[in-house]
Amino acid sequence: MPQETTVGSLITVTDDTFAELVLASERPVVVDFWADWCPPCKMIEKSLAELAGEFGDRMVVAKLNSDDNPRTTRAYAVMSLPTLLVFRRGEVVGSIVGSRPKTYLRQTLTTHAGI
């Protein structure tokens, strides 16, 4: 089983661990597709880490570096960064494209995840 790597309270997923950590998860998962060169990606990272703590065991918050993991990025047709995809039972049930305030992220992710 792949080891979950954390950044604060966020888990890091890769092309190799995506199926197991995201698609097979029993909990809803939000995946933040990001890159080092993306300033808006850095802007929402703190909010996502804080939300991961708030959501606790109700939802997994994960990060995927799009530059290092092109297979998954292409598979989900991610064209802009940051892109947040919400998965439930292995299916995409919602998305957010671009940087948004924490209150917007909390409300939208909660609604998409059904928690």
Side-chain angles (χ1 to χ4, degrees):
M1 174 160 178
Q3 176 95 15
E4 290 184 357
T5 308
T6 61
V7 177
S9 53
L10 307 174
I11 68 166
T12 298
V13 296
T14 66
D15 283 343
D16 295 332
T17 62
F18 191 84
E20 187 166 355
L21 297 178
V22 177
L23 300 180
S25 178
E26 293 182 14
R27 295 182 284 163
V29 181
V30 58
V31 179
D32 173 22
F33 289 80
W34 68 282
D36 283 328
W37 51 263
C38 169
C41 297
K42 295 179 190 317
M43 291 171 52
I44 67 167
E45 183 174 16
K46 181 180 180 211
S47 293
L48 289 174
E50 291 170 357
L51 289 171
E54 288 180 27
F55 293 143
D57 63 356
R58 297 179 298 147
M59 183 183 340
V60 175
V61 181
K63 294 179 64 65
L64 183 134
N65 184 316
S66 293
D67 288 340
D68 295 342
N69 299 281
R71 187 174 63 218
T72 303
T73 302
R74 278 193 305 269
Y76 289 95
V78 173
M79 304 298 287
S80 297
L81 299 179
T83 291
L84 305 177
L85 296 180
V86 182
F87 292 82
R88 268 196 318 216
R89 295 178 291 283
E91 300 292 325
V92 176
V93 295
S95 66
I96 300 171
V97 178
S99 181
R100 299 286 190 270
K102 183 178 170 183
T103 54
Y104 178 88
L105 295 174
R106 179 187 299 111
Q107 179 181 7
T108 305
L109 296 176
T110 300
T111 300
H112 286 319
I115 59 172

